[in-house]
Amino acid sequence: MGMVTKRKKMHYGDTHLQRRWRVRNRRRDLDQIDDDLRTRSGELINQNVDLEKPGFAQFYCVHCAKYFIDDTAMQAHFRTKVHKRRLKALEVEPYSIEEAERAAGRGSFVKPKKRTMETQPSKEDVVAGKRIRVEEVAENTDAAESPSTSKTKRKKAEKMET
């Protein structure tokens, strides 16, 4: 009877190989995508033909920063969970340098604004003049509440204190 053969680990300790696999599928960050949405979304949807990119750079999802082979693949992508998650992440205003300084104690806290995000229009709609809209959602403030709800909140707070 012999010993059971031990499985060999192929790339143990090869950090250069680990780094290559880690950054292989790297996409643009949320703040870069937000900047693209505000400044040049129409330009990214209507790109010139580039033979090096998938679909000759004619089918580009601005929210995910991803190229697709054809329109059916892009429309199928719009229905996926990955795209919907990205839209949800883009609803909150991205982290900025000013916010980092406020967190460090140089200023007062300002709550990040919520926005409504919609999937980008098709190529035909963009040619017709439709654009990607990035609108801020109006937040409910205490002044906008009815007086009866503010009284009940006060009563609950008083009960909790005692």
Side-chain angles (χ1 to χ4, degrees), residues 145-156:
E145 291 180 4
S146 64
S148 62
T149 58
S150 61
K151 287 180 184 178
T152 57
K153 285 184 180 178
R154 272 191 251 136
K155 286 181 182 178
K156 287 181 182 177

Side-chain angles (χ1 to χ4, degrees), residues 54-69:
F56 303 130
Q58 297 302 300
F59 307 102
Y60 182 75
C61 176
V62 179
H63 299 102
C64 300
K66 204 172 194 182
Y67 290 96
F68 294 95
I69 296 172

Side-chain angles (χ1 to χ4, degrees), residues 3-4 10 12 32 34 41-42 45 63 76 80-81 88 92 97 100-101 104-105 127-128 136 143 148 150 154 159:
M3 290 183 51
V4 178
M10 300 304 286
Y12 179 74
Q32 295 171 325
D34 183 67
S41 61
I45 293 173
H63 299 102
T80 61
K81 192 182 284 188
K88 191 76 170 171
V92 178
I97 295 171
E101 289 179 355
V127 171
E136 293 181 7
S148 62
S150 61
R154 272 191 251 136
K159 287 181 182 177

Side-chain angles (χ1 to χ4, degrees), residues 88-124:
K88 191 76 170 171
L90 285 169
E91 281 183 356
V92 178
E93 190 179 32
Y95 193 72
S96 64
I97 295 171
E98 293 82 20
E99 190 173 352
E101 289 179 355
R102 279 182 264 158
R106 298 188 184 114
S108 59
F109 176 73
V110 177
K111 190 174 181 179
K113 298 176 184 124
K114 291 281 280 180
R115 303 176 295 187
T116 58
M117 278 288 162
E118 296 177 0
T119 301
Q120 71 188 45
S122 65
K123 230 172 162 51
E124 294 82 27

Side-chain angles (χ1 to χ4, degrees), residues 14-29:
D14 294 337
T15 56
H16 65 284
L17 293 174
Q18 292 173 355
R19 187 177 304 121
R20 183 185 315 152
W21 288 106
R22 185 174 58 235
V23 297
R24 179 173 163 239
N25 294 326
R26 182 106 172 110
R27 299 276 180 229
R28 293 173 63 86
D29 289 327

